[in-house]
Amino acid sequence: MDEDQLRVFVGIVQKYFESETGKGPDTGSPYLGDVSDLPMLDFTGVIGISGVRQGCVYITAGPDLLRALLLHVGETDVSDHNLCDLAGEIANTIAGNARLHFGHDFMISVPVIVRGAAQAIHMPRNTKAYVIPFRWRKHPASLVVSLQ
Amino acid sequence: MELKLMIIDDSNVIRGKISRALTRHNMRVVATAANGEEAVDRFMPEKPDVVTMDLTMPRMDGLECIRKLKKIKPDIKILVVSALADKATAIQALKEGAQGFLCKPFSDDDLTDAMDELLTGA
């Protein structure tokens, strides 16, 4: 994955929060993560990528960010069920929007939800994973993109 | 006249968001479904006038669901609401029989504008 492609994902995250809340997140500097020590917060939505590229895209966030986002869009049910649902939906939206850049053959799966910061997403050793850290309303989250 | 709406999306949060926005827009939600199979099962008893349709869903995806719903009710109006942002997907959905395409993420205004365009044929 090159710098331009990384920028595509930064732009999509920005657009997602601007569209949903009117305020984009504060994005930190993307970095190449160690696949054995990638960020994992309490709620993670993972999208598998196949077709023209293989790998995965995931978003990981804590309950405070997801709860605030739900309330902002008018959702009063802030149960864990909806926090998981939202993590999956954000991941789905970001990966789906990436098809505008990567094309129709950038195939995305339905979201898989991983619950709990102690869990880990296992990546193949030979892949690189880029981490885009960001904060929305001071709540931290990360988008992780690993594409072969 | 109040139109009967069916919302098909695998996200409970998105179903709620669409429901709130379009209920305020003089529509009545008569059914929801989390995948294409559920949608086909729940479509007939309620006979909605309009459907919002996600594309990436488990068990039966949105494109197959559009084909099936169009066979049941050829004049059903379908607004696709999907994260798949490439033009080829939008064209494919329109070829299958959808009349409108709205890309996620979307605001309430984006949704009501897209729905108005769908209903007026603009």
Side-chain angles (χ1 to χ4, degrees), chain B residues 20-84:
Chain B
R20 285 188 296 277
L22 293 182
T23 300
R24 286 194 298 266
H25 202 60
N26 203 29
M27 301 186 98
R28 180 164 56 93
V29 179
V30 293
T32 62
N35 60 64
E37 276 182 12
E38 271 184 17
V40 172
D41 288 345
R42 294 174 187 177
F43 184 80
M44 269 311 280
E46 301 297 343
K47 294 192 181 65
D49 305 301
V50 191
V51 164
T52 67
M53 176 77 73
D54 189 14
L55 292 181
T56 309
M57 294 184 290
R59 284 158 61 183
M60 182 194 294
D61 70 21
L63 291 176
E64 190 179 346
C65 187
I66 291 171
R67 282 194 286 274
K68 288 189 186 293
L69 297 189
K70 293 298 277 190
K71 274 188 189 163
I72 298 169
K73 188 179 179 187
D75 64 344
I76 183 70
K77 298 234 181 244
I78 300 175
L79 174 65
V80 172
V81 182
S82 170
L84 302 180

Side-chain angles (χ1 to χ4, degrees), chain B residues 73-102:
Chain B
K73 188 179 179 187
D75 64 344
I76 183 70
K77 298 234 181 244
I78 300 175
L79 174 65
V80 172
V81 182
S82 170
L84 302 180
D86 59 296
K87 199 182 277 183
T89 298
I91 291 169
Q92 201 177 346
L94 297 175
K95 274 186 183 163
E96 295 293 353
Q99 291 90 349
F101 192 99
L102 176 64

Side-chain angles (χ1 to χ4, degrees), chain A residues 16-134:
Chain A
Y16 178 87
F17 282 88
E18 280 171 6
S19 173
E20 289 290 341
T21 71
K23 185 183 185 309
D26 299 320
T27 308
S29 298
Y31 62 92
L32 189 56
D34 176 349
V35 291
S36 63
D37 188 26
L38 293 169
M40 285 294 286
L41 298 172
D42 284 346
F43 294 87
T44 300
V46 187
I47 302 291
I49 307 295
S50 59
V52 68
R53 305 295 294 265
Q54 281 88 43
C56 78
V57 172
Y58 78 77
I59 178 120
T60 187
D64 292 346
L65 182 147
L66 296 169
R67 229 177 265 131
L69 194 48
L70 281 178
L71 291 170
H72 193 94
V73 300
E75 177 59 69
T76 53
D77 176 357
V78 292
S79 62
D80 276 11
H81 176 76
N82 264 359
L83 300 186
C84 287
D85 184 294
L86 181 58
E89 184 57 26
I90 298 171
N92 171 66
T93 302
I94 290 169
N97 282 191
R99 280 166 62 124
L100 192 59
H101 177 84
F102 291 99
H104 187 63
D105 293 328
F106 186 82
M107 311 296 286
I108 70 169
S109 73
V110 294
V112 172
I113 309 303
V114 180
R115 183 78 173 81
Q119 304 296 315
I121 308 288
H122 294 285
M123 305 277 190
R125 285 274 161 201
N126 59 346
T127 58
K128 289 179 177 175
Y130 291 89
V131 180
I132 301 167
F134 61 92

